[in-house]
Amino acid sequence: MATRKARQGEMLESVYSVLAMVFVLFACVELCDAATVLDVYRLIQYDLAGSPFGSRFASLNHHASSSAFAPGVDLSRSVVISPVRELNLTVFREFIEMRRPLGGLLFLLPKHFDRSGKQDAEEGDEVDEGKLRNTLAELEDLLIHASLPYPVYFAFENDKVAEILADVRRNDASSQPATATTGGFKLLVSTSEPKKLASTPITNIQGWLPGLKADDDVSQLPTIAIVASYDTFGAAPALAVGSDSNGSGVAALLELARLFSRLYSNSKTRGRFNLLFGLTSGGPYNYDGTSKWLRSLDQRLRESIDYAVCLNSIGSWKNELWIHVSKPPENAYVKQVFEGFSDTAKELGVKVGLKHKKINISNPRVALEHEQFSRLRVTAVTVSELSVAPELLQNSGGLHDSREFLSESSVIKSVKLVAETLARHIYGQQGKNIEIFADGSSLAVNPSYISAWLDFLSQTPRVAPFFVKNDPFIASLKKELAEHNVEVNVHQDVLDGTFTFYDSTKAQLNIYQVASVAFDLLLLLVVGSYLILLFSFLFITTRGLDDLIGLFRRPPSRKVKTA
Amino acid sequence: MTVFHFFNCAILTFGPHAVYYSATPLSEYDTLGTCIKAALVYLGTALVKLVCLATFLKVSENDSFDPYQELLKALIGFIDVAGLYFALTQLTHRNISQNHKFQAVGLGWAFADSVLHRLAPLWVGARGLEFTWEYVLQGLEANANLVFTVSLAAMGSLMWLRKSKPRALILLIYACAGILATMPSITSYLRRSLGWHLPEVVGFELSASLVMAIISWQLFSACQRPLV
């Protein structure tokens, strides 16, 4: 009997130890389930001359709420989900200005803005598009210039998120906002704290098409420069594709390079001007890249530049294009250049206007690219659809600047305008009635080439600090320019220290449907009472009711015995 | 909070087994050894079933009801019955009465079944933040399964351990046992062919288990009368 009991005890012990080991093993299993996982893009975080801007946090772990920034609601532990379509900007502006505490912010962008190709294109309201674009532009402007001590994310709408938002709204309408005790949806983004990026690399790509030098010519041929900046800045750096600013400029520059390389490939049609093509970086940051690139150029080359044409935002104009200059309009060079453009414009049936803005060397603000040339005493103009020079970080290609608001025909018209004007100047055909790049000829502007590049640019976010080392996009620009130019050089530099950026631009958002603590307690109560009922039922049916009552009344009988 | 949910579902799934053991005279007669032996036999049976399923069954692409496959699964399910037979008759138990033997075997069997089929999903799934009703329903299913197994063990003990049975009831006993043994096929038919969702299937299982429990109780007490 005793040995049997001992053996049983041993067996029990071994069972317990096995169970314990199994539990320890199971504890290592990862939890990874969520009803919905979403790609989200963080608001940019940067310091400008030491002052912080943008969203200062990245990780998010709060309940979802959908109240539209109404005053008097405590939102410090909830994330507000706000579709941009229904955003009321004045209320939001007040909310930000009052610096109310908030757990987090999630903006939902309409589906058709998602260019990653994961979702089918849908027909949208034409009427609302303009309004939506304006709302987005204002929202971006507001967010870029505010310092928000909570994480702000952008995401694209899809069916699941719409369902969740409807549920959240229903919950909000019926009871108090969701917290730990009332259930609802929990939004979780688990990333590390954003770190400062050490330095922002600037890569300028230049292409060189040498002109025809006659045998007895000793002096340097004059050069014409065509420049466009290719990087962007926007509220959500992972989405800042800048189709118009300055994707249109880059596509136009590449098409111009292609056209002139065709002309220059044959020595009979090579002009007596060198052509310098420049794709510069650092555009939104006072064209710092352009300045550094120009200073790195050989002085003789710089002095040989007759004039430079900078292309900036030429993708959504209808009839009027602007030529911005820094030298006064009475200046002979400016007059010549402008006349060339107006003549061509007249033939194309469009209008060009002249805008003059004096540069102030002591002011570090550079609003348009040609000013960097002017500071080094090179005649330059900027061809742009903008009539007013933009402010810092304005018109630098953000969320609102997407492919659908771009008009290919505008880019094609601009290319024609610039190409004809330059060609007439190069070949000395000013004032003559001749069309070099006529439609249908072998030198016609190629719409599919422009369209393909616009598509590619509209899918590539190009914010300078977030380019990786040996970025494939920059490599592809270099390769393309090398196809049309004789010599291509890459100039690397670093952005100056006024701007400091922080990483963490993309993340994954997990949305969990959680039950409240009250529910768990209720369930515990129900299960507990079920087990107690089961116990009593089985006890009574097998051993009788007296025994059950006897369970609670043993001590008194003992006392009776001893007495 | 979610470990809380795991705890709730765990006590719903495994609590009744412990309650059954402690509330009935099983604890008084110290039948834990029988329970554990039955659990081990279940483990062996499960392994054999797995090997058979892997060898003979095709993996179907869609979730429809294939009669041939289901028949095969039911046949393999009878290995369960063979296992129970082994546990009831071949193992040497301590001197416990018939009454308690089948209960202990059924309890050990059902407990092993619950642990093997439900503990892992519970541990991995119920601890996450996401809330679903799935694990509560799984717990209810475990309860129904306990009742089914004990009833099947009762029928088994009647069939193989009792030599004298009233003539009229023999057919009923075999019919009952047959229904209990094919219960997995029935639920799978309901789920696939008729497209019932988990709550409805669990509801059906709970009510069926109550009905079968009452029937087997009556049969068992009817067979006990001559010996009294």
Side-chain angles (χ1 to χ4, degrees):
Chain A
M1 203 48 181
T3 45
R4 267 214 131 176
K5 267 223 172 315
R7 238 189 293 152
Q8 267 208 340
E10 268 175 29
M11 193 166 71
L12 273 172
E13 260 185 38
S14 54
V15 166
Y16 285 143
S17 59
V18 167
L19 274 175
M21 209 172 63
V22 159
F23 268 118
V24 166
L25 193 72
F26 277 139
C28 310
V29 171
E30 276 281 329
L31 316 169
C32 63
D33 60 326
T36 315
V37 180
L38 210 57
D39 279 327
V40 291
Y41 310 97
R42 196 169 81 99
L43 180 66
I44 194 161
Q45 179 179 0
Y46 67 101
D47 294 336
L48 175 53
S51 322
F53 289 102
S55 154
R56 312 305 294 178
F57 288 94
S59 59
L60 188 66
N61 187 353
H62 287 303
H63 281 79
S65 158
S66 72
S67 58
F69 310 109
V73 179
D74 178 25
L75 294 168
S76 55
R77 295 195 59 77
S78 38
V79 178
V80 175
I81 305 181
S82 181
V84 172
R85 240 191 270 260
E86 305 156 8
L87 184 64
N88 182 342
L89 266 171
T90 33
V91 173
F92 184 60
R93 204 185 294 265
E94 265 181 49
F95 182 84
I96 297 226
E97 274 164 22
M98 287 203 297
R99 297 178 173 277
R100 303 240 330 263
L102 184 63
L105 201 46
L106 178 67
F107 285 108
L108 294 178
L109 301 166
K111 236 190 259 206
H112 54 266
F113 273 62
D114 184 3
R115 301 291 303 181
S116 62
K118 280 196 290 248
Q119 310 186 34
D120 307 317
E122 259 185 21
E123 301 299 319
D125 262 70
E126 274 311 315
V127 186
D128 274 334
E129 286 307 309
K131 185 162 162 281
L132 180 64
R133 197 176 177 208
N134 289 338
T135 314
L136 260 181
E138 270 190 62
L139 176 68
E140 260 187 288
D141 199 47
L142 186 60
L143 288 173
I144 290 175
H145 292 109
S147 171
L148 304 167
Y150 42 81
V152 179
Y153 282 98
F154 293 91
F156 293 105
E157 287 175 354
N158 65 20
D159 298 324
K160 272 200 155 166
V161 175
E163 267 179 46
I164 292 177
L165 187 59
D167 277 337
V168 172
R169 284 205 171 127
R170 222 187 335 212
N171 287 346
D172 278 350
S174 59
S175 58
Q176 293 100 0
T179 55
T181 48
T182 52
F185 289 91
K186 195 157 198 170
L187 302 178
L188 183 70
V189 173
S190 46
T191 62
S192 50
E193 276 314 301
K195 289 187 285 292
K196 256 193 219 191
L197 289 173
S199 62
T200 306
I202 290 194
T203 312
N204 300 312
I205 310 172
Q206 78 185 46
W208 179 252
L209 261 182
L212 187 65
K213 219 171 171 176
D215 288 332
D216 52 353
D217 230 332
V218 186
S219 58
Q220 174 96 319
L221 280 176
T223 311
I224 296 183
I226 305 174
V227 189
S229 85
Y230 65 82
D231 66 340
T232 59
F233 181 90
L239 296 174
V241 292
S243 306
D244 199 9
S245 308
N246 193 11
S248 55
V250 174
L253 187 146
L254 290 173
E255 175 65 3
L256 287 167
R258 188 187 72 86
L259 289 172
F260 279 102
S261 84
R262 291 200 83 168
L263 274 174
Y264 273 48
S265 56
N266 186 349
S267 62
K268 288 206 199 106
T269 51
R270 201 175 296 162
R272 302 219 169 188
F273 282 77
N274 299 322
L275 285 173
L276 177 67
F277 294 94
L279 284 165
T280 58
S281 176
Y285 322 112
N286 293 324
Y287 292 99
D288 196 40
T290 316
S291 153
K292 295 202 157 91
W293 171 57
L294 284 176
R295 276 164 230 274
S296 80
L297 285 180
D298 188 29
Q299 174 143 7
R300 281 182 303 148
L301 172 59
R302 209 164 55 225
E303 283 172 1
S304 77
I305 297 182
D306 212 13
Y307 65 96
V309 177
C310 307
L311 302 167
N312 182 2
S313 307
I314 46 177
S316 40
W317 58 280
K318 289 252 165 51
N319 295 315
E320 183 158 21
L321 210 56
W322 296 96
I323 313 271
H324 297 256
V325 291
S326 322
K327 294 206 172 136
E330 302 81 42
N331 182 298
Y333 289 122
V334 171
K335 256 190 169 164
Q336 193 187 43
V337 170
F338 185 62
E339 265 174 31
F341 274 106
S342 331
D343 289 338
T344 324
K346 229 177 296 185
E347 285 168 30
L348 288 175
V350 296
K351 193 164 157 288
V352 287
L354 189 65
K355 279 269 159 152
H356 169 241
K357 180 164 163 272
K358 271 215 316 228
I359 52 170
N360 181 354
I361 304 224
S362 52
N363 184 0
R365 171 78 189 120
V366 176
L368 290 168
E369 202 159 9
H370 72 277
E371 290 179 27
Q372 292 289 14
F373 285 87
S374 305
R375 281 165 193 242
L376 291 171
R377 281 184 276 266
V378 177
T379 311
V381 303
T382 300
V383 178
S384 172
E385 70 202 4
L386 304 166
S387 57
V388 180
E391 299 293 315
L392 181 65
L393 301 178
Q394 203 187 46
N395 271 112
S396 50
L399 281 171
H400 64 278
D401 197 351
S402 71
R403 180 77 173 86
E404 41 219 36
F405 301 119
L406 197 62
S407 145
E408 269 173 45
S409 57
S410 310
V411 182
I412 294 174
K413 266 191 289 190
S414 323
V415 170
K416 258 200 128 175
L417 178 67
V418 177
E420 287 280 348
T421 313
L422 287 180
R424 285 182 198 181
H425 183 83
I426 291 173
Y427 298 106
Q429 305 291 328
Q430 285 100 320
K432 304 224 181 96
N433 190 6
I434 183 170
E435 198 176 354
I436 302 179
F437 301 100
D439 292 334
S441 70
S442 64
L443 287 173
V445 175
N446 187 351
S448 3
Y449 184 83
I450 293 182
S451 171
W453 272 99
L454 285 175
D455 283 339
F456 175 55
L457 290 162
S458 305
Q459 287 171 359
T460 318
R462 310 187 292 278
V463 184
F466 304 111
F467 277 130
V468 300
K469 213 169 156 59
N470 306 322
D471 199 277
F473 172 72
I474 299 181
S476 63
L477 279 182
K478 177 169 179 246
K479 186 159 168 271
E480 188 63 22
L481 211 55
E483 288 217 2
H484 305 310
N485 287 355
V486 169
E487 199 186 310
V488 170
N489 289 317
V490 174
H491 165 245
Q492 310 258 19
D493 210 318
V494 165
L495 191 64
D496 67 5
T498 10
F499 283 88
T500 322
F501 295 94
Y502 292 76
D503 67 357
S504 173
T505 54
K506 252 183 102 147
Q508 295 236 313
L509 175 71
N510 293 304
I511 305 184
Y512 298 103
Q513 180 164 25
V514 288
S516 52
V517 170
F519 172 81
D520 278 332
L521 284 171
L522 186 67
L523 190 62
L524 178 65
L525 206 65
V526 167
V527 172
S529 42
Y530 163 69
L531 286 176
I532 291 173
L533 271 172
L534 186 68
F535 183 88
S536 335
F537 172 74
L538 288 171
F539 205 92
I540 292 174
T541 47
T542 51
R543 295 191 236 187
L545 185 61
D546 294 334
D547 278 342
L548 180 66
I549 301 176
L551 263 182
F552 299 103
R553 236 197 270 162
R554 231 173 283 142
S557 55
R558 267 212 169 181
K559 278 200 186 140
V560 173
K561 255 201 170 159
T562 50
Chain B
M1 191 206 306
T2 52
V3 180
F4 198 170
H5 186 64
F6 166 75
F7 176 73
N8 280 342
C9 294
I11 58 177
L12 180 61
T13 315
F14 305 115
H17 301 88
V19 163
Y20 192 91
Y21 185 80
S22 50
T24 57
L26 286 179
S27 52
E28 270 178 31
Y29 293 105
D30 201 14
T31 48
L32 194 63
T34 314
C35 292
I36 293 181
K37 282 187 207 162
L40 291 171
V41 173
Y42 178 81
L43 211 66
T45 316
L47 279 168
V48 172
K49 265 174 62 179
L50 272 175
V51 169
C52 288
L53 281 171
T55 319
F56 296 117
L57 233 56
K58 293 196 299 280
V59 177
S60 65
E61 284 90 36
N62 50 352
D63 213 15
S64 66
F65 185 77
D66 184 0
Y68 181 62
Q69 298 294 321
E70 293 298 325
L71 194 62
L72 220 54
K73 276 193 212 164
L75 282 175
I76 293 177
F78 278 113
I79 296 179
D80 255 339
V81 181
L84 259 182
Y85 171 79
F86 179 79
L88 278 171
T89 54
Q90 303 297 348
L91 291 178
T92 52
H93 303 288
R94 287 172 53 207
N95 202 3
I96 355 174
S97 71
Q98 295 285 10
N99 208 347
H100 296 139
K101 190 192 284 197
F102 83 82
Q103 284 186 38
V105 168
L107 184 64
W109 192 270
F111 184 72
D113 181 79
S114 278
V115 167
L116 254 73
H117 285 253
R118 294 182 187 92
L119 181 60
L122 202 58
W123 178 255
V124 173
R127 276 192 313 148
L129 275 177
E130 182 77 18
F131 173 76
T132 50
W133 284 104
E134 195 185 325
Y135 299 105
V136 178
L137 290 172
Q138 207 181 51
L140 292 174
E141 204 178 352
N143 280 301
N145 198 39
L146 171 63
V147 179
F148 278 141
T149 314
V150 171
S151 316
L152 185 57
M155 294 296 104
S157 88
L158 277 185
M159 285 193 292
W160 303 309
L161 297 177
R162 193 173 291 276
K163 302 301 171 210
S164 62
K165 296 182 276 263
R167 278 302 180 106
L169 298 173
I170 291 181
L171 196 59
L172 205 55
I173 292 173
Y174 278 101
C176 231
I179 295 176
L180 285 167
T182 54
M183 193 51 75
S185 304
I186 296 176
T187 47
S188 123
Y189 170 73
L190 288 174
R191 198 171 303 183
R192 303 225 179 138
S193 237
L194 297 182
W196 283 20
H197 295 303
L198 193 58
E200 297 154 0
V201 173
V202 171
F204 167 77
E205 279 183 357
L206 284 173
S207 34
S209 66
L210 282 175
V211 166
M212 294 310 292
I214 294 174
I215 294 178
S216 18
W217 192 357
Q218 294 304 315
L219 279 173
F220 200 84
S221 34
C223 288
Q224 272 204 305
R225 256 179 250 126
L227 287 173
V228 168

